Every structure is written in structure tokens, then in C-alpha cells.
Amino acid sequence: MMTTEHFAALSFVARMGTRKKVHAFVRVKPTDNFPHEMIRYGDDNKSIDILLKKDTRRGVVNNQQTDWSFKLDGVLHDASQDLVYETVAKDVVSQALDGYNGTIMCYGQTGAGKTYTMTGATENYKHRGILPRALQQVFRMIEERTTHAITVRVSYLEIYNESLFDLLSTLPYVGPSATPMTIVENPQGVFIKGLSVHLTSQEEDAFSLLFEGETNRVIASHTMNKNSSRSHCIFTIYVESHSRTLSDEKYITSKINLVDLAGSERLGKTGSEGRVLKEATYINKSLSFLEQAIIALGDQKRDHIPFRQCKLTHALKDSLGGNCNMVLVTNIYGEAAQLEETLSSLRFASRMKLVTTEPAINEKYDAERMVKNLEKELALLKQELAIHDSLANRTLVNYDPMDEVQIAEINSQVRRYLEGTLDEIDIINLRQIQEVFNQFRVVLSQQEQEIESALRRKYTLIDKNDFAAISAVQKAGLADVNGHLVGEPDGQGFGLGVIPFSFKPGKKIKSKKTFKDQLSIPVRKEGASSPLSTKELDISPSKTQLILPPRDGDVKDMRDRETSSTEPFPSDSPKEELRPPRPSTPPSKPVAFEDFKNERGSEINRIFKENKSILNERRKRASETTQRINAIKQEIDTTKEALNVQKALREKQGEYENKGLMIIDEEEFLLILKLKDLKKQYRAEYQDLRDLRAEIQYCQHLVDQCRHRLLTEFDIWYNESFFIPEDLQVALKSGCSIRPGMVPINRVVSLHNYLKAITGLQQVNKK
Ligand code: ADP
Ligand code: MG
């Protein structure tokens, strides 16, 4: 359905983007001796021709142009003020009430009738000009538009010698105000800071302000010794229109600038001096800047318009070109003597005609109305919801923002839900759903904090990014290069943890010192009197990554996997028997590792070896199966080929058919059977291969895990055996369960046992 609102919006869009030429008119001042041979109008009253006789130009015969033709929007000859208004201003004013800015300018030499056109003969009502008529039209239209509340404001600005004067400043007129006015630009447009703008609720008020302004203009011309035809005057009517329909949040604003320009005649050429020269300079400048701006506006390729070169163009920045309706009235004398100035004025007019504008409605939004409307809408929707709920038998639903009690209840629901004591959280409304999610986040972050502080209470947590702390711990041998906790299964856990070296009461150790502290206890060495420095005790994890001479498969495998960050051990390491008693210098790691494998690490090493051999066996089987698969595949291909040959032969000899059944010979039949059998074999072998691959992957994982454990435990054993004080060692020997980071050997997964269990299961499944 199309409402009037839609219609307005559409027409707004349609009007936007339509370019419009500036309307340029010529008004000829009546005279008794009109030079018909020099000034001629076109039949349509839209063109004016100027014809100059060569001999009139002081007898100079040259090739200069002597005839000019100007095409304009209308020539107003002997036109009444009434007709001028109808032709020139009526549409501009009427569109201003629809939100379009409008500018009407009078241009021409002094005495040509600019002020007469713009203001009129104030003493004669019939001869009133555009200004009072425009005010009249505005108020008449307001009266007719009962659907809108429209306010009118006016201001009257004079620009004289590049100074700004407020012609409507407080009476009696005392000249320029203390604080000089300035031209200010903001996104809404250009305005004159300090210029008084007067609200006028009725026609009479507006008229009296206009008269005031005119009077001030005259007074100023006397008291300040300024010539009124030497200044530019801009009378502005500001319109703001709000719909009386309160739901309409949009409102429109517009302004009509009525500009009476200073005389355009070239001054100063006859040797004027002093004040007149100064005036002339300013006028010449401002009018030529106006012309420059207009030329730039007429040039579609120009993107910079020099508006700020003088006060006149700056003040009119948003009223020249742009989005407004623009009209120029060029006032000329209908006299032979003024023909030169007339020509120059007509040239200006024809330049103005090249300018295009893009009139657009100045639409704004009334924030207060918007809020009110939204509040209304909200209340309505709440009512609607209430009705909806009562129809759906949902009575106690509240849609208001939640209070603390309600939020606490949701928090408790979420907690119970997470604990499992609450099966589901009922959905009530959107707000509640959002709050549930919110409380999930709250509970989650609380739990995170709780876990962290629990860990802190129990362990020393070190920030993973705190490299100094990590390296200190690494020095102490508590973490490996990746920051994994030594002895922690697979290095998984909460960041970098250091298990405290605290013993249960009743155990032999009384010291409450941490493991790190204990490590730094001076180590008493036989025959050595000075304690070991941390440097000498270098058991940093990087060195615990082993590289062993390639003695057997295990070791080779290890080297392949662990070389990257390690330095080779010195090859001349001593091979003496190491323990007991503890040697004065620890044995080299490769040597110690051999010992470890025979001693404490024998069980894990056995499992490691066993796992590896299973892995190797599976690999071998996989490779054999692959070979078999390939062989079968080849045979399938050959059989297929043979079958094709048979088939071709059969087709060539002519086919036999019996009751729809194909009759084939025995050879072909046997080939088909063979092919079927091969396919079956292939499928079975392929299935085996897949199973084997899965097993290999798992075995590989266990082998890696065993290797890791073997190395980890070796490190611990190495430290314990050669660096921990002997009194501590006693305690360590008393039970493997308290060994720092040591995982009991029985918890290491044996692949052998695992596979035995699996095979058992498979056999059960097969049965
Ligand atoms: P401008 O403002 O261009 O200097 P004015 O408007 O002051 O010129 O006109 C000068 C004189 O000519 C005034 O006395 C004015 O009344 C008279 N005049 C100008 N145009 C007309 C016209 N179209 N009809 C009658 N008188 C006019
Ligand atoms: Mg004038």
C-alpha cells in the first residue's frame, strides 16, 4: 500500500539528481528614448541582441565584433513589479517551503534598478519589490499549510568594503557591533556568527524588520559615509517546517537569500581617489570573485570552487550553485549611453546561465520526536506481547530488564546445570536467554580463576612467556626444553608446573625446602672442598637430549629423532665403572645411559624394545601385504584383458542366445570366475592392510611414548645419582612413588599386553 509518506519519499528521490540550470533574466529600466536600433529582443522574449554601429565607436574601424546575441530565460521590458515577481521569484519561494534553498540575485550597474527590483519603492505599496512580496507569499503559504508547523526567521546582512554589518542589530542602529561577525562553515552549511536572526510569527513583524533594515542601510550611508550602492545586501528568510503529525520525525529547513549586489560598473578608471577608490577596489574584487566562482561552478570538470576569496562568495557558499534553486536578474539601462556596461552585465548573465545546480530537499530528523515515537512503539509492542502471552497461556512473563535477584537466580540455574543437578533451563524470553549465556560466561571465568588459584596453592606456576623463570627452572632440571613438566605423562597438564618436593609426614625428610632449593645445596664431593656452582652443575635439559654412538638399532633411531637441538658428546668420555662409590665427576651421559638401561631403566627399556620389535614386525607385514595386493591387482588386469579378448571373439563369431540368456563358452566362464575370486582376495588383503596401518600408527605412538619416558627417567636417575646430596638419596630409595616426577614403571603401557588383549578380543568377535 502506498501512503502519502512513501509518495513524498519517492518524489524526494526523484527530484534529487535532476540538474537544473540557473535561471537568468534581464530587466530593462524604462526610458523615454529607448535605442531600438541598438537593443532588440527576440520574438520569444528570451533573447536580446545588442547592435553597435562601427562609426559610433569614435570612428575607429576595426574587426571588432559589433553584434552580440544573448540567450536568456526571459527579457523583462516594461514589466510591472507584479509580473517580475511572478516570473522571477514565485517558484523559488514556493519550493523553499518544500525544503529547497533558493537564491535570487540582482546584478547590474548603479541606477539600473537592482534595489527597485529587490526592495521596490518602499513608499509605494504597488511598487514593492521581490522582498516584501516573498515575505507575503511565505506567510500566505504557511496559512494554507495547516498540516505543518512552520517557523520563519529573517536576517539582513550588508557587506561593505569586506566588512560585515548586521542591518537588523538592535535599534537604534549604531554601526558594527563590538565583536566582529565571522563566516562559519559546518556540515549543516554556512552561517554568519554574530548576525542576528529574528523569529517572525507574522507578516507585519517581517515587514517592520525589513523597513528597519532599509532604514539602517540609509542611516549607515550617512553616518558612516558609505554609499549604499557600493555595498552588497543579503536578506535571508529561514524556513523550518515540522509536520503536525507527531509520528513524522522528519522536518525540513530551507533559506531564501535575496541579494542586492553592489553596482557592477567599472570604477576608478576616471581617476577616482580616496574612499571612492577603496570602494571601487573592493567592489571590483568581490564582483570578479563572484564571477570566478560562477565560472568555476559552470565548469563541470572543476571540483574546487574559490568561495573563500571574499566575504560575498564565502557568505553565499551554500547558496550559489549546489543544491539550491538559483535565479539571476540582470538590471540594465535601456539607453545608448550605457551600452558598454549593459554589454558587460549581459555577459555576466550568460555566464550565469551555464551554471547548473542540483536542488535537493534539506531534510532533518527531530531527535526528540524520534525518542517519543520509539517509546510509544515500545509500549505498544509490550501490550502486544502481553496479549500474545495470555493467549498462549504464558502468564508470568516479564519483559523488563532483569534485576539483581533475577540475575542471581539465573546464575544459580547455570551452576546447577553445570553440576548436573538441573536437567534443563527453561526458555522464557529473549532477555532471559541472553542472561543465561551471560551467566555461563561469568561462571566459566570464575571457575577458571578458582582452578588457577587452586593450582597456585598446590604448585608453583610459572608463566610460559616468562623466559627467565623458565630457564631458571630448566637449569634446575625440572622442565624439559618445551617447558613440559619432567615426569608428567606426555607433558600434558596445566602449563609449566613444578611439583613440590614435599613429603608426607612420617617420611624421613624434614626439610621443607623446595626441590630447587635442595638442588642448590652444596654438593659434597669426595676430595673436593668447594661447592659446585650452578654452572658446574649444568644439567640443562638441552643436554639431556641424548645422542649416543650408533651401537644398536634403538640408539640409531633415537639419534634420527632427537638430533636437532643437541651438541654431540665428546667422544673421549671416560668408560670407567661409575657406581658405587659416587665418582668425583659424573660420567658422560652416553656411558651413564648404558648403565641406566641395565639398572633402573631395565624394565622400561625392555618394554621399549618389545614395542619396537612389534612395530617392526607390523611394518614388515604391511609391506608384504602391499606386495601381495599389487600382485593381485596385476593379475586382475591380465584376467580383464583376457576376458575382453574372449568377448570380442564371441561378438565376431556371432552370439548365441537362449530364452534371453547369453550363452558363453567354458573358457570365458572360467575367466569370469577367476576375476570374481581375485576381487575377493584383493578386498580381503586391502582390509588387512588398513587394519595393519592403524596398528602401526598406534604402535608408533607407544614407541614414542616409551622413548620419551626412557629419556625422562634417565634424566631423573642421572640427577639423583650424581647431583642430589647423599642424605636425600636415602629418602629417595625408600619408595619409588615419591621420586620427583617419576611415574611408576607399572603405569607404562606395554604394547605387548595391549596387543594380547586386542587379539583376544578379535578372536572373541570372530566367534
Ligand atoms: P540600483 O539599486 O541598481 O542602483 P535603483 O533601484 O536604486 O538602482 O534605481 C534607481 C532609480 O531608478 C530609483 O529611483 C528607482 O525608483 C528607479 N527605477 C529603477 N528601475 C525602475 C523601474 N523598473 N520602474 C520604475 N522606476 C525604476
Ligand atoms: Mg541599489
Side-chain angles (χ1 to χ4, degrees), residues 337-355:
Q338 306 295 339
L339 226 48
E340 211 171 318
E341 289 297 341
T342 296
L343 260 177
S344 132
S345 296
L346 288 172
R347 282 197 197 103
F348 181 84
S350 55
R351 262 180 227 124
M352 195 67 150
K353 247 197 88 60
L354 296 176
V355 178

Side-chain angles (χ1 to χ4, degrees), residues 208-248:
S208 87
L209 281 165
L210 176 60
F211 293 140
E212 237 171 74
E214 289 301 322
T215 319
N216 284 338
R217 199 176 168 187
V218 176
I219 295 170
S221 75
H222 289 279
T223 56
M224 297 183 67
N225 203 17
K226 72 181 188 198
N227 186 336
S228 70
S229 73
R230 306 270 129 250
S231 65
H232 312 290
C233 284
I234 306 171
F235 188 87
T236 310
I237 307 171
Y238 308 82
V239 179
E240 192 174 308
S241 171
H242 292 256
S243 165
R244 288 197 195 275
T245 314
L246 285 174
S247 61
D248 195 350

Side-chain angles (χ1 to χ4, degrees), residues 474-726:
Q474 282 173 351
K475 278 241 162 70
L478 297 179
D480 66 15
V481 259
N482 299 319
H484 291 149
L485 187 63
V486 172
E488 194 179 49
D490 272 350
Q492 287 160 354
F494 310 107
L496 177 62
V498 177
I499 292 180
F501 199 71
S502 57
F503 299 96
K504 282 177 193 151
K507 299 278 171 179
K508 288 172 191 162
I509 290 300
K510 281 159 205 116
S511 164
K512 286 250 171 181
K513 283 182 178 168
T514 63
F515 185 47
K516 194 181 165 189
D517 291 337
Q518 284 158 2
L519 268 185
S520 56
I521 292 169
V523 177
R524 245 179 297 120
K525 296 186 293 175
E526 273 176 71
S529 54
S530 64
L532 261 182
S533 71
T534 348
K535 208 176 169 196
E536 283 167 301
L537 262 175
D538 193 354
I539 45 167
S540 72
S542 67
K543 296 215 173 143
T544 68
Q545 309 290 310
L546 284 173
I547 289 205
L548 298 169
R551 251 177 265 164
D552 58 29
D554 300 0
V555 166
K556 193 166 172 279
D557 190 6
M558 238 182 267
R559 188 190 50 180
D560 289 344
R561 289 170 178 277
E562 325 266 0
T563 40
S564 56
S565 66
T566 57
E567 311 158 5
F569 286 99
S571 55
D572 56 342
S573 42
K575 287 191 174 180
E576 39 182 317
E577 189 52 51
L578 298 165
R579 299 171 59 203
R582 188 193 270 195
S584 57
T585 46
S588 79
K589 281 194 169 176
V591 173
F593 188 59
E594 287 309 309
D595 286 337
F596 172 74
K597 283 199 286 191
N598 295 326
E599 248 184 69
R600 169 108 56 90
S602 66
E603 180 60 9
I604 179 78
N605 190 42
R606 189 186 61 72
I607 295 171
F608 175 62
K609 275 186 171 167
E610 207 175 280
N611 285 352
K612 260 188 78 77
S613 75
I614 293 168
L615 175 63
N616 285 340
E617 191 268 331
R618 291 293 189 272
R619 277 188 179 145
K620 208 171 131 222
R621 260 166 62 185
S623 134
E624 284 162 7
T625 312
T626 312
Q627 273 172 20
R628 275 202 301 279
I629 286 173
N630 286 337
I632 294 169
K633 178 117 200 320
Q634 226 162 20
E635 220 180 327
I636 287 175
D637 290 343
T638 343
T639 316
K640 268 187 191 160
E641 236 164 77
L643 257 176
N644 278 344
V645 172
Q646 285 287 325
K647 194 180 163 212
L649 206 70
R650 166 161 51 83
E651 280 165 359
K652 211 169 149 194
Q653 288 169 348
E655 294 168 339
Y656 301 98
E657 228 179 283
N658 186 10
K659 289 176 190 168
L661 289 170
M662 185 73 65
I663 295 173
I664 52 172
D665 67 15
E666 199 185 336
E667 204 176 336
E668 197 174 345
F669 179 69
L670 285 175
L671 278 173
I672 292 172
L673 281 185
K674 189 182 174 192
L675 192 62
K676 276 190 172 172
D677 187 48
L678 282 170
K679 272 189 180 166
K680 208 168 140 192
Q681 280 180 45
Y682 180 86
R683 215 173 288 148
E685 292 285 359
Y686 193 80
Q687 184 60 42
D688 276 359
L689 184 64
R690 262 195 2 211
D691 291 348
L692 274 170
R693 278 183 184 156
E695 268 184 59
I696 287 168
Q697 205 185 353
Y698 187 79
C699 290
Q700 183 67 61
H701 172 75
L702 286 182
V703 167
D704 290 345
Q705 203 174 317
C706 279
R707 178 185 296 108
H708 177 79
R709 206 141 289 160
L710 190 62
L711 292 174
T712 311
E713 284 178 18
F714 166 69
D715 275 350
I716 296 163
W717 172 82
Y718 189 77
N719 291 335
E720 277 173 11
S721 309
F722 305 109
F723 297 107
I724 292 180
E726 275 163 25

Side-chain angles (χ1 to χ4, degrees), residues 408-418 422 425-426 432 436:
E409 170 55 25
I410 289 180
N411 182 288
S412 130
Q413 279 178 354
V414 168
R415 280 181 195 280
R416 278 180 283 146
Y417 180 79
L418 286 172
L422 185 68
I425 299 174
D426 284 335
Q432 176 249 1
V436 167

